[in-house]
Amino acid sequence: ARTRLSAYGLGTRGWDLLPEWTPEVFAIDEDYVRGLIGGDELRLPDAARPLWDGREPTNMSAWIELGRRVFNEYPLRGEVFAEHALRSSALSRRVGLGPDENGLWPGLVAFKTFEGATEVGITCALCHVDVQDGKRVEGRARRNFDYGEMRLAYYRETGATLEEELRRRMASWGPGRADITPDDEEDPVAIVDLWGVREHSYLTQSGTLHQVHPAALAIRQETQILHANQEEARPPRVLCWALAMYIYSLKPPRQALDPRNAELGETPPRGSELFAAHCRSCHSDASFAGPLVSASLVGTDSSLALGKARGTGRYRPAPLLDVANAAPYLHDGSVASLAALFDPQRSTPGHRYGMTLSARDRQDLITYLRTL
């Protein structure tokens, strides 16, 4: 964080000298994918247009709408692995890519690069838009997306060179996990939902940013885009602020995907009391996240918390909004279900909270968690 901030907001030097970039984009749809499968060369369709017209929004709804476009259409970078996957319907399905009810492929755009070439780009929506029964759920982690396999398939099928150790690491990620930290350490994390971000005191699982103001989130978005595009250009800061406002607006869908949720009715009083007694001290804010906790205290795998890229020595308690639909659990996605999380026989280390409760109390606590 210190390294990034040392290049930020300096006016006449650092990242401020990079050109602002508002790309021409086209949201990839079924017709475009069919063309790629048929062997078409990459092209930017006539319907492509600049993502932003340069006018600053004048009210919150307009800020959120502009942020929605940034979330779905601003390319973090060109991604040859995604282009390769789009040219094979079998590979696309295998790695969790596909269309929504309107025929759009969330997280994938064709765009004109800063140098003028046309590429397939990935956006925030690639990891943070799920598709359930054809309907897109913006803000929910796409837990069936296998980024490691998407990359490995490219290397297998094109013959491109890949170091064996990196091949092994990518094969270990599995759906819903990735290691994108710029270091040589092995610390994959689970893709997270984006519910209740405005309430978070800290951003990222290891709490690398203290969110004392919405600018903290906007700065994080700008630095992510800058690093993703190798610091060739920077997004207009209006777009980063709009993206933060959109992320703040995201809420879990009202429909309950877990069929057990519909049977719960009102909040179970015993479960609520158990949560207050055993969980609320850590999961203390409105999103049921809270202040950072020492990695040694929580006891889960400490690779991320102690790593060079994002090491703080601590973890942020996971936000629990819509937790019933957020499996697998813990920062690295190592626990498959809520029942397993509270199972005294669980072999995965750490987060032993609630395990000394009786079987009935554990079930009442789980029942309550499904209502959040």
Side-chain angles (χ1 to χ4, degrees):
R2 285 193 295 271
T3 299
R4 289 185 175 186
L5 288 174
S6 69
Y8 184 86
L10 304 179
T12 59
R13 52 198 173 93
W15 289 337
D16 288 67
L17 296 182
L18 295 175
E20 286 193 346
W21 181 51
T22 303
E24 291 182 70
V25 296
F26 175 80
I28 287 177
D29 59 16
E30 287 278 67
D31 288 340
Y32 196 91
V33 172
R34 278 193 288 268
L36 293 179
I37 292 173
D40 286 356
E41 294 186 1
L42 282 181
R43 59 183 177 82
L44 201 62
D46 293 339
R49 65 192 190 281
L51 187 145
W52 180 48
D53 61 10
R55 291 181 293 181
E56 186 172 312
T58 58
N59 57 60
M60 184 53 69
S61 62
W63 277 108
I64 290 172
E65 176 55 26
L66 177 58
R68 185 194 63 80
R69 287 208 64 201
V70 176
F71 180 84
N72 284 292
E73 299 179 29
Y74 196 101
L76 300 172
R77 63 173 178 267
E79 188 82 348
V80 66
F81 313 116
E83 178 192 343
H84 179 77
L86 289 177
R87 293 185 181 276
S88 166
S89 57
L91 177 57
S92 292
R93 288 193 299 270
R94 190 165 80 245
V95 301
L97 301 180
D100 64 15
E101 71 272 27
N102 296 314
L104 297 175
W105 287 56
L108 298 169
V109 295
F111 75 104
K112 191 174 290 294
T113 69
F114 190 67
E115 293 81 12
T118 298
E119 296 184 4
V120 169
I122 59 173
T123 76
C124 301
L126 183 71
C127 291
H128 299 289
V129 171
D130 198 16
V131 178
Q132 297 283 343
D133 298 324
K135 297 184 182 301
R136 62 193 293 144
V137 185
E138 299 197 353
R140 173 170 281 136
R142 193 186 306 196
R143 295 183 175 87
N144 67 336
F145 174 46
D146 196 333
Y147 183 52
E149 173 57 20
M150 185 175 78
R151 295 180 65 172
L152 287 171
Y154 170 82
Y155 288 106
R156 283 197 306 267
E157 296 166 15
T158 66
T161 302
L162 177 65
E163 294 180 6
E164 191 56 40
E165 175 61 15
L166 185 54
R167 184 189 306 275
R168 182 197 65 77
R169 290 173 62 177
M170 287 191 293
S172 73
W173 296 349
R177 298 200 327 159
D179 181 357
I180 58 172
T181 51
D183 58 25
D184 295 327
E185 296 170 331
E186 196 162 352
D187 47 14
V189 297
I191 301 171
V192 297
D193 294 331
L194 297 180
W195 317 133
V197 173
R198 189 182 194 109
E199 309 299 333
H200 298 350
S201 300
Y202 293 87
L203 303 175
T204 78
Q205 287 100 322
S206 58
T208 51
L209 289 173
H210 190 190
Q211 188 177 219
V212 296
H213 187 276
L217 180 57
I219 290 171
R220 170 168 165 73
Q221 307 312 320
E222 179 171 344
T223 58
Q224 281 189 308
I225 295 171
L226 278 161
H227 278 264
N229 70 29
Q230 305 301 312
E231 299 182 24
E232 292 184 351
R234 65 181 176 89
R237 286 178 178 150
V238 167
L239 299 188
C240 297
W241 183 263
L243 178 56
M245 295 303 99
Y246 174 70
I247 291 173
Y248 276 1
S249 76
L250 292 170
K251 298 178 181 179
R254 291 187 178 276
Q255 65 272 25
L257 297 183
D258 188 321
R260 292 167 294 188
N261 294 3
E263 304 169 1
L264 297 178
E266 298 181 358
T267 301
R270 290 193 73 257
S272 177
E273 293 166 4
L274 289 164
F275 183 86
H278 297 277
C279 311
R280 198 54 155 155
S281 60
C282 290
H283 298 273
S284 56
D285 66 26
S287 68
F288 301 96
L292 301 183
V293 177
S294 166
S296 60
L297 180 63
V298 73
T300 54
D301 183 276
S302 61
S303 299
L304 181 69
L306 302 180
K308 294 177 182 177
R310 295 184 182 176
T312 62
R314 298 176 292 176
Y315 283 126
R316 178 190 67 188
L320 300 181
L321 290 177
D322 199 35
V323 67
N325 297 309
Y329 301 103
L330 303 185
H331 78 275
D332 56 356
S334 56
V335 176
S337 66
L338 284 174
L341 184 66
F342 294 103
D343 184 351
Q345 305 304 313
R346 167 165 57 85
S347 59
T348 306
H351 198 280
R352 312 304 288 181
Y353 310 107
M355 288 189 175
T356 59
L357 297 173
S358 69
R360 179 189 171 186
D361 283 351
R362 293 198 305 273
Q363 186 56 54
D364 284 346
L365 179 57
I366 291 171
T367 299
Y368 170 72
L369 290 172
R370 291 191 185 125
T371 70
L372 298 181

